[in-house]
Amino acid sequence: MLIFAIESSCDETAAAILSAEENENGHSLKLLSNVVSSQIAIHALYGGVVPEIASRAHSEAISGVVAQAFADAGCTPADIDAVAVTYAPGLIGSLLVGVSFAKAFASVNHLPLIPVNHIEAHVAAAYLTYPDLKPPYLALVVSGGHTSLYEVSDYKTFTEIGGTRDDAAGEAFDKVGRVMGLPYPGGAAMDKLAAEGFRFYDPKQKKVLHFPSPATPDDTLDFSFSGLKTAVINHIHTTKQRMTSGNEEDVELPEETKAEIAAAFTHSVTEGIAKKLDMALSGGNYNTVVMAGGVAANSHLRAKVESVCGKHNVSFAVPPLSLCGDNAAMTAACGYHLYRCGVRADASLNAFANLE
Ligand code: KG4
Ligand code: ZN
């Protein structure tokens, strides 16, 4: 069957067409097209996503993105069997553009409509790369808006067993990156800068820079990134103030200082996440860990999580970098499995910024 999917939960307008079928080994998923139109250049001017601008930009982009997805796949709406769309969570104005488009498309073409949760879609990106992957497994979602651990017992049952009590990991990357003067969004630039920093920054040395851990100091599987974020931002301000008797805004940190801060911050993030993952794997009976979301693109986190999985002798599945950020290929993969499970929406489908 062919699934047409739309994703517009934040600042990427995306459409994809997936060919999917069940076979004797499980499921064969073949991506026919995957178009992502990013608004990063627009929001970079403001240092973060401006919701009203995002929804307007989605409205302007969506028809062209969908047309491109059909052209790339070499098919027409008449070939499609079902429509999947992200309906939550995300920016409400952004979500509504995708949901309205998908409802109209499904109605005009008399197709079933499948409502997709954006977080579950991030996890489903792994099905596109690991054909043998199937629930149950443990999912670690690390994105701009979420940082959580889920027990995934079947294709549509996600039970949150831990999560952030305040900021998400990606939010912390972006805010620290902004204070350091890195291009928006800061995550990818911090990744590279930390790699420079790890050439000389050795976290095993007690006398080097250390920031607080985002792992809560208790036996839950929760995180808290706000203390870490504030500690790094305060450290940057103090360092700048020490360098000048004038206005700290005029001070540019030396590259080596920035690289050291990026490495120390990244070390805290990766160790904190690894600590809670280690606790989850020690306390549960899992064979596989799936890591997903924009921050799953982080090279240091990928290496650390892989080593924790190795220690527990469980398999590790993580999408390629191109499928970690927001895209509609993951929405299509999630939609396919929900379709098989009988999940459908009707014309009353609404968008939701948050879900229970
Ligand atoms: O999943 P995503 O595309 O959007 C949400 O659903 O939130 O995640 C975006 C987040 C941003 O905060 C971005 O800075 C972060 O993912 N990110 C990274 C990297 N690439 C993207 N964070 C750390 N290291 C990276 N390489
Ligand atoms: Zn996302």
Side-chain angles (χ1 to χ4, degrees):
M1 67 181 294
L2 291 191
I3 309 259
F4 163 53
I6 294 179
E7 148 65 38
S8 69
S9 65
C10 189
D11 59 347
E12 330 276 358
T13 319
I17 294 171
L18 177 75
S19 164
E21 66 194 34
E22 202 155 357
N23 57 28
E24 64 280 6
N25 303 319
H27 302 274
S28 153
L29 305 185
K30 192 166 162 256
L31 208 47
L32 303 188
S33 65
N34 182 22
V35 181
V36 181
S37 166
S38 174
Q39 303 174 7
I40 283 181
I42 307 172
H43 300 294
L45 297 172
Y46 307 94
V49 179
V50 183
E52 291 77 8
I53 296 178
S55 48
R56 202 171 321 139
H58 282 302
S59 304
E60 285 162 12
I62 195 156
S63 302
V65 166
V66 168
Q68 189 64 49
F70 276 94
D72 290 356
C75 62
T76 70
D79 301 318
I80 300 296
D81 298 294
V83 183
V85 65
T86 309
Y87 77 103
L91 299 173
I92 191 71
S94 293
L95 287 163
L96 279 168
V97 176
V99 168
S100 308
F101 195 102
K103 285 204 291 193
F105 188 98
S107 163
V108 166
N109 295 289
H110 308 288
L111 292 169
L113 181 64
I114 309 152
V116 173
N117 175 314
H118 181 68
I119 303 188
E120 296 178 12
H122 268 301
V123 175
Y127 297 129
L128 294 163
T129 314
Y130 300 87
D132 297 334
L133 175 68
K134 50 176 174 305
Y137 53 77
L138 179 68
L140 166 63
V141 177
V142 273
S143 73
H146 296 87
T147 303
S148 295
L149 282 159
Y150 298 92
E151 225 170 62
V152 182
S153 41
D154 59 49
Y155 286 100
K156 61 183 175 65
T157 311
F158 283 59
T159 308
E160 190 173 22
I161 55 170
T164 183
R165 295 179 183 170
D166 39 57
D167 295 346
E171 228 173 322
F173 269 101
D174 293 347
K175 285 187 183 154
V176 169
R178 182 156 71 185
V179 177
M180 291 223 281
L182 302 181
Y184 166 83
M190 287 281 281
D191 193 343
K192 285 201 194 98
L193 199 55
E196 292 295 313
F198 282 125
R199 289 185 185 183
F200 59 87
Y201 171 83
D202 178 2
K204 290 196 195 81
Q205 304 294 317
K206 283 228 157 41
K207 287 197 176 154
V208 295
L209 189 56
H210 278 288
F211 292 122
S213 170
T216 55
D218 51 32
D219 56 8
T220 68
L221 297 173
D222 287 348
F223 303 97
S224 166
F225 285 86
S226 73
L228 165 63
K229 182 193 72 184
T230 308
V232 181
I233 292 174
N234 286 346
H235 175 78
I236 294 169
H237 287 311
T238 315
T239 309
K240 284 184 168 183
Q241 280 158 7
R242 283 207 193 105
M243 289 168 62
T244 179
S245 53
N247 189 347
E248 69 163 273
E249 301 290 316
D250 302 331
V251 177
E252 173 73 18
L253 290 175
E255 277 310 302
E256 192 162 297
T257 307
K258 283 193 200 172
E260 183 192 23
I261 295 170
F265 168 72
T266 301
H267 176 69
S268 281
V269 172
T270 53
E271 288 298 315
I273 292 175
K275 182 178 167 195
K276 294 295 177 168
L277 178 64
D278 187 61
M279 282 168 63
L281 291 174
S282 302
N285 187 15
Y286 305 102
N287 295 324
T288 305
V289 169
V290 173
M291 179 165 74
V295 183
N298 188 275
S299 58
H300 314 284
L301 186 60
R302 290 167 88 94
K304 185 72 203 180
V305 169
E306 185 164 21
S307 85
V308 175
C309 291
K311 178 183 148 194
H312 288 270
N313 207 15
V314 301
S315 347
F316 175 44
V318 61
L321 299 196
S322 60
L323 294 177
C324 285
D326 291 346
N327 64 82
M330 66 188 197
T331 317
C334 191
Y336 165 66
H337 286 298
L338 293 177
Y339 177 85
R340 288 193 314 106
C341 297
V343 176
R344 304 282 186 276
D346 61 25
S348 68
L349 177 67
N350 203 352
F352 296 92
N354 295 299
L355 283 179
E356 282 294 300

